[in-house]
Amino acid sequence: MKSEARKKFIDIVVNVTLLVLLFLPQSNIQYVFFVGVMAMCVWSNWRNVHIDWLKASIVLSLLVTFLVNASTNADGYGMSTKSVIRCVMIMLMLVFFPFLKAHKIYPATIYIAIIYLLFSQLCYFFHLTPFWMYYDTMYPYNGEIYSYTSAYLSKQYLNFMVRFGGLYHNPNQCARAYTFLLAILLIEWPNLGKGVWKKVLLALLFFGVLLTGSRTGLLAFLVMTAFYYYKNNDSANKVRNVAIMAVVGLVLLYVYSNIEIRSVKLSEGVDNSFGSKVGFLMDYLSEETSWLYVLFGHFNMDPGNVAHYIPFGTMDSEWGFAVFGYGFVFLALMLLYYFFIMRQFNGNYVMLNFCFIWAISGTILFSFSASMVFLFILSIYLNNMRAEQSRLLKETKEI
């Protein structure tokens, strides 16, 4: 009885921690909290760590990157406290993954997360001043893009050409969070009962994605929901239904693109967003003269250091950051690592694999908050899946 109560208490702590990881304001406190959570996870999961050749290679690659830059950093660029902390956190997350045991994600956690995030967008969308001021105070924007500021949003009332990032300010970060939450929602779908509430919640999440204006977020939502429907529907007409859904989706995309809703202008996104990322990478490689940096990177990915080497752009992508920060050696190991993680998930848990789409158009691992949130979720569900498989195997043997 005590063990059940203890397990329930730990599950509650894990659920609260997930919410805090998602919504803790960006500040020094956030970094301290994330490091503290990672330290607790490492301490509690120390005996379950399995170090394989891939994890060992990643550690060795990062150590070589550090040593190369520490020994060649004569001009003062490349090393900073933040870059060291980032490298250590990435190393710990990858080496100790999965760093959480199996835990239950409560429906209340999903409801709170989606509603809180959507409400933060609606406050700007409808200009709800008291709540808008709360989010502005709790989540101040420190970036340089004016269209993400509350001053800009307040002047663009009910304008669909505006992208609403809510408490994240950056709409792509907001859409990425929605993708993580959608994966959780679809995995937990059978546990949410048969009521209409979960369908309403899915519709609210879709509306939130539309408000972000994120092409990647919209694409992820459409693909994930269609795949889930196909995989979990026993109807003989499910292929026809998915085909109809695809046609309707394409028609909606065409109509929306004609009325200038940015989130569905996918072809423009490929040309302008993805194309520019590839262009910046190509420009960097054409300018870089040292094979050591090409193989092992410049270690520090802070904007000032990137601007020193790339005055004409930014490495705003997973593979761009990987090449610039830790080199092609780390990029190859990282892609292999992602592949081995993705191949482990099956059943409804495969929904998590679709979240890796953000490693193509944006970044997961090189975002301090997103990496912690995503690997936190992956750790929970990987061990949940293993626990289910172990239980089914045990029941089969008993029969």
Side-chain angles (χ1 to χ4, degrees), residues 142-264:
N142 300 315
E144 299 177 353
I145 302 178
Y146 182 63
S147 60
Y148 294 170
T149 65
S150 56
Y152 176 84
L153 294 174
S154 64
K155 297 176 182 177
Q156 306 295 321
Y157 179 65
L158 293 182
N159 183 349
F160 268 94
M161 281 300 291
V162 176
R163 306 179 64 192
F164 294 90
L167 59 89
Y168 290 102
H169 296 285
N170 187 320
N172 290 326
Q173 293 179 14
C174 185
R176 183 176 57 198
Y178 273 127
T179 304
F180 297 165
L181 292 173
L182 176 62
I184 296 175
L185 179 64
L186 294 178
I187 291 172
E188 299 293 339
W189 193 265
N191 304 322
L192 299 179
K194 297 182 179 180
V196 72
W197 172 239
K198 61 183 182 181
K199 296 179 182 178
V200 172
L201 200 67
L202 182 64
L204 292 176
L205 192 152
F206 178 61
F207 182 58
V209 171
L210 285 180
L211 287 178
T212 65
S214 169
R215 305 175 183 93
T216 303
L218 179 60
L219 182 63
F221 180 93
L222 295 175
V223 172
M224 290 170 72
T225 51
F227 182 85
Y228 184 87
Y229 172 83
Y230 178 82
K231 194 173 186 303
N232 293 278
N233 196 301
D234 296 328
S235 170
N237 298 320
K238 68 178 182 180
V239 175
R240 184 197 66 186
N241 292 341
V242 171
I244 293 174
M245 290 166 60
V247 171
V248 172
L250 289 173
V251 171
L252 287 175
L253 288 175
Y254 176 77
V255 172
Y256 286 167
S257 63
N258 282 342
I259 60 175
E260 297 297 315
I261 295 180
R262 182 195 184 279
S263 61
V264 293

Side-chain angles (χ1 to χ4, degrees), residues 68-115:
V68 165
N69 283 273
S71 60
T72 61
N73 188 30
D75 55 1
Y77 291 95
M79 313 300 289
S80 71
T81 302
K82 185 178 179 180
S83 64
V84 172
I85 293 175
R86 180 193 290 114
C87 182
V88 171
M89 282 291 290
I90 288 175
M91 192 182 300
L92 290 176
M93 285 188 293
L94 297 182
V95 169
F96 285 89
F97 177 83
F99 46 79
L100 284 173
K101 299 178 181 178
H103 293 286
K104 181 178 181 181
I105 299 295
Y106 294 111
T109 301
I110 306 172
Y111 301 155
I112 291 171
I114 294 176
I115 292 174

Side-chain angles (χ1 to χ4, degrees), residues 267-329:
S267 61
E268 181 182 298
V270 172
D271 293 337
N272 295 346
S273 184
F274 184 77
S276 64
K277 291 176 174 63
V278 174
F280 291 147
L281 179 59
M282 293 299 100
D283 288 342
Y284 162 66
L285 294 176
S286 66
E287 294 287 332
E288 183 57 74
T289 58
S290 171
W291 65 268
L292 269 177
Y293 288 136
V294 172
L295 290 178
F296 297 106
H298 292 275
F299 191 75
N300 184 354
M301 288 166 279
D302 295 342
N305 193 52
V306 175
H308 175 70
Y309 294 98
I310 316 174
F312 41 77
T314 178
M315 293 300 187
D316 188 21
S317 64
E318 190 90 327
W319 32 277
F321 281 126
V323 170
F324 180 82
Y326 304 134
F328 273 99
V329 172

Side-chain angles (χ1 to χ4, degrees), residues 38-57:
M38 193 65 234
M40 287 296 296
C41 291
V42 169
W43 176 78
S44 63
N45 204 42
W46 182 268
R47 296 181 179 179
N48 299 318
V49 178
H50 172 66
I51 307 295
D52 55 23
W53 67 269
L54 182 55
K55 291 181 177 180
S57 299

